[in-house]
């Protein structure tokens, strides 16, 4: 990820962040990294239960959520933070993990997390990631996200709350969703489909609205779990 996004906050001030991790050294390290980049840490938590309480009290823009914590884990905390009782503008949740193909990470993305980071993330990447998801985008490393989804999509024998009828999408929106699920960026989508990046962004916005999805992370999962993309089908889609 480019670090050029580090200091882009659209005139609305730096992101406000809560860090939830049961390891004190991780919390301290992340707090120092974010503070050095002008990002305010408004709260910390040592488990999921505390994370939910801190988030409700401080109303941050972004939560850095360790997926594996004692008692209430990061998955359950994410469900509660982003669930029906969430405020009208809930925070964006970035999952912290040591294992990029973790089933719990997949489930956290399915319930609304905006992406995930490995705990050995560089300082530049961490700060840029917080600013990126705060701006409303999803934090996706295409190759890792695709492998994660392919490993776990459609294996649980259940339907997640994100599922919607793809028949509401136009042919072009289906093409955009399929390409997005294969890891193409807006620029790559624009080039492949011979569209402007602004038009691609509009299509993505319409897809998310029609399918009632939070962001691109959920769109990727929905493309697999509805069968638009099948695990193992890695060839790049044609523009049609």
């Amino acid at each position: 990820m480019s670090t050029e996004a580090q200091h882009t906050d659209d005139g609305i001030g730096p992101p406000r962040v809560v860090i939830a991790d049961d390891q004190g050294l991780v919390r301290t390290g992340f707090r120092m990294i974010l503070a050095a980049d002008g990002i305010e840490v408004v709260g910390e938590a040592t488990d999921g239960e505390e994370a939910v309480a801190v988030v409700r009290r401080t109303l941050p823009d972004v939560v850095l959520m360790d997926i594996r914590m004692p008692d209430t884990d990061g998955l359950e905390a994410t469900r509660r933070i982003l669930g029906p009782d969430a405020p009208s503008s809930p925070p964006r949740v970035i999952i912290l993990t040591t294992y990029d193909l973790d089933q719990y990470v997949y489930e956290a993305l399915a319930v609304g997390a905006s992406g995930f980071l490995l705990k050995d993330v560089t300082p530049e990447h961490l700060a840029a990631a917080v600013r990126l998801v705060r701006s409303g985008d999803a934090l996706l490393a295409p190759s890792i996200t695709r492998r994660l989804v392919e490993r776990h999509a459609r294996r649980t024998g259940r339907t997640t709350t994100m599922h919607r009828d793809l028949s509401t999408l136009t042919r072009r929106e289906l093409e955009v969703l399929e390409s997005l699920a294969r890891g193409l960026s807006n620029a790559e989508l624009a080039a492949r489909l011979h569209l402007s990046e602004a038009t691609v962004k509009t299509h993505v916005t319409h897809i998310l609205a029609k399918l009632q999805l939070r962001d691109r992370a959920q769109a990727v999962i929905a493309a697999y779990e509805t069968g638009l993309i099948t695990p193992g089908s890695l060839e790049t889609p044609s523009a049609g």
Side-chain angles (χ1 to χ4, degrees):
M1 177 185 300
S2 170
T3 59
E4 292 178 358
Q6 285 183 342
H7 300 287
T8 301
D9 287 310
D10 299 325
I12 53 176
R16 301 171 69 255
V17 177
V18 163
I19 303 172
D21 195 294
D22 61 333
Q23 299 180 51
L25 285 176
V26 172
R27 297 195 309 275
T28 299
F30 280 12
R31 182 177 68 248
M32 293 175 65
I33 289 169
L34 295 177
D37 202 75
I39 295 174
E40 181 182 7
V41 175
V42 296
E44 297 182 21
T46 60
D47 60 35
E49 192 72 30
E50 187 178 4
V52 174
V54 171
V55 166
R56 288 176 177 170
R57 184 177 72 249
T58 61
L59 301 177
D61 301 304
V62 178
V63 182
L64 294 173
M65 180 76 74
D66 184 13
I67 196 67
R68 295 177 181 273
M69 293 184 287
D71 301 320
T72 303
D73 63 17
L75 174 59
E76 177 58 26
T78 299
R79 283 197 184 103
R80 291 165 59 181
I81 289 170
L82 301 179
D85 296 330
S88 57
S89 297
R92 300 278 169 167
V93 176
I94 299 175
I95 296 298
L96 301 173
T97 182
T98 56
Y99 179 50
D100 60 10
L101 298 184
D102 193 332
Q103 167 71 24
Y104 291 109
V105 174
Y106 168 77
E107 293 185 7
L109 293 174
V111 300
S114 294
F116 63 94
L117 290 171
L118 297 181
K119 286 191 176 182
D120 61 358
V121 61
T122 66
E124 295 80 11
H125 193 170
L126 176 66
V130 167
R131 294 181 187 277
L132 178 70
V133 299
R134 191 276 192 92
S135 72
D137 207 342
L139 179 65
L140 296 173
S143 62
I144 295 176
T145 302
R146 184 175 61 201
R147 287 190 293 125
L148 172 73
V149 174
E150 288 199 342
R151 173 166 292 190
H152 298 298
R154 309 178 72 187
R155 287 190 176 186
T156 59
R158 60 175 171 75
T159 300
T160 66
T161 56
M162 70 161 56
H163 283 171
R164 298 294 184 271
D165 186 356
L166 296 186
S167 68
T168 60
L169 303 183
T170 66
R171 179 175 177 272
R172 179 62 86 185
E173 287 167 351
L174 283 170
E175 289 177 332
V176 170
L177 177 57
E178 184 178 1
S179 297
L180 185 156
R182 295 180 190 276
L184 274 66
S185 67
N186 282 349
E188 291 167 335
L189 272 164
R192 178 162 295 280
L193 299 179
H194 307 293
L195 302 170
S196 69
E197 284 194 53
T199 299
V200 168
K201 290 179 181 178
T202 297
H203 283 312
V204 172
T205 298
H206 289 167
I207 290 167
L208 298 182
K210 287 182 177 182
L211 301 184
Q212 299 181 42
L213 302 174
R214 184 169 171 80
D215 54 29
R216 294 167 75 106
Q218 285 197 315
V220 170
I221 293 176
Y224 279 88
E225 293 201 334
T226 56
L228 179 65
I229 300 289
T230 57
S233 60
L234 300 183
E235 65 275 9
T236 304
S238 63

